[in-house]
PDB file of all heavy atoms in Angstrom:
ATOM      1  N   GLY A 786       2.742  50.054   0.224  1.00  0.00           N
ATOM      2  CA  GLY A 786       1.994  50.220  -0.990  1.00  0.00           C
ATOM      3  C   GLY A 786       2.516  51.357  -1.855  1.00  0.00           C
ATOM      4  O   GLY A 786       2.693  51.198  -3.069  1.00  0.00           O
TER       5      GLY A 786
ATOM      6  N   THR B 640       0.427  51.192   7.431  1.00  0.00           N
ATOM      7  CA  THR B 640      -0.228  49.899   7.183  1.00  0.00           C
ATOM      8  C   THR B 640       0.260  48.898   8.178  1.00  0.00           C
ATOM      9  O   THR B 640      -0.553  48.078   8.696  1.00  0.00           O
ATOM     10  CB  THR B 640       0.087  49.474   5.761  1.00  0.00           C
ATOM     11  OG1 THR B 640      -0.406  50.418   4.888  1.00  0.00           O
ATOM     12  CG2 THR B 640      -0.551  48.110   5.450  1.00  0.00           C
ATOM     13  N   GLN B 682      -5.167  47.625   2.022  1.00  0.00           N
ATOM     14  CA  GLN B 682      -4.663  48.635   1.050  1.00  0.00           C
ATOM     15  C   GLN B 682      -4.627  48.015  -0.365  1.00  0.00           C
ATOM     16  O   GLN B 682      -5.065  48.653  -1.335  1.00  0.00           O
ATOM     17  CB  GLN B 682      -3.261  49.074   1.469  1.00  0.00           C
ATOM     18  CG  GLN B 682      -2.683  50.094   0.527  1.00  0.00           C
ATOM     19  CD  GLN B 682      -1.369  50.669   1.034  1.00  0.00           C
ATOM     20  OE1 GLN B 682      -0.859  50.211   2.044  1.00  0.00           O
ATOM     21  NE2 GLN B 682      -0.852  51.681   0.362  1.00  0.00           N
ATOM     22  N   ASP B 773      -7.830  51.322   5.083  1.00  0.00           N
ATOM     23  CA  ASP B 773      -6.466  51.552   4.564  1.00  0.00           C
ATOM     24  C   ASP B 773      -6.585  52.045   3.130  1.00  0.00           C
ATOM     25  O   ASP B 773      -6.770  51.259   2.224  1.00  0.00           O
ATOM     26  CB  ASP B 773      -5.632  50.293   4.677  1.00  0.00           C
ATOM     27  CG  ASP B 773      -4.156  50.574   4.515  1.00  0.00           C
ATOM     28  OD1 ASP B 773      -3.817  51.740   4.175  1.00  0.00           O
ATOM     29  OD2 ASP B 773      -3.353  49.717   4.791  1.00  0.00           O
ATOM     30  N   GLU B 774      -6.528  53.331   2.926  1.00  0.00           N
ATOM     31  CA  GLU B 774      -6.558  53.932   1.606  1.00  0.00           C
ATOM     32  C   GLU B 774      -7.730  53.433   0.761  1.00  0.00           C
ATOM     33  O   GLU B 774      -7.533  52.968  -0.345  1.00  0.00           O
ATOM     34  CB  GLU B 774      -5.227  53.700   0.869  1.00  0.00           C
ATOM     35  CG  GLU B 774      -4.085  54.314   1.598  1.00  0.00           C
ATOM     36  CD  GLU B 774      -2.840  54.488   0.769  1.00  0.00           C
ATOM     37  OE1 GLU B 774      -2.970  54.546  -0.465  1.00  0.00           O
ATOM     38  OE2 GLU B 774      -1.712  54.590   1.303  1.00  0.00           O
TER      39      GLU B 774
HETATM   40 MG1  LIG F2186       0.206  51.523   3.486  1.00  0.00          MG
END
Side-chain angles (χ1 to χ4, degrees):
Chain B
T640 301
Q682 179 173 8
D773 196 350
E774 299 198 22

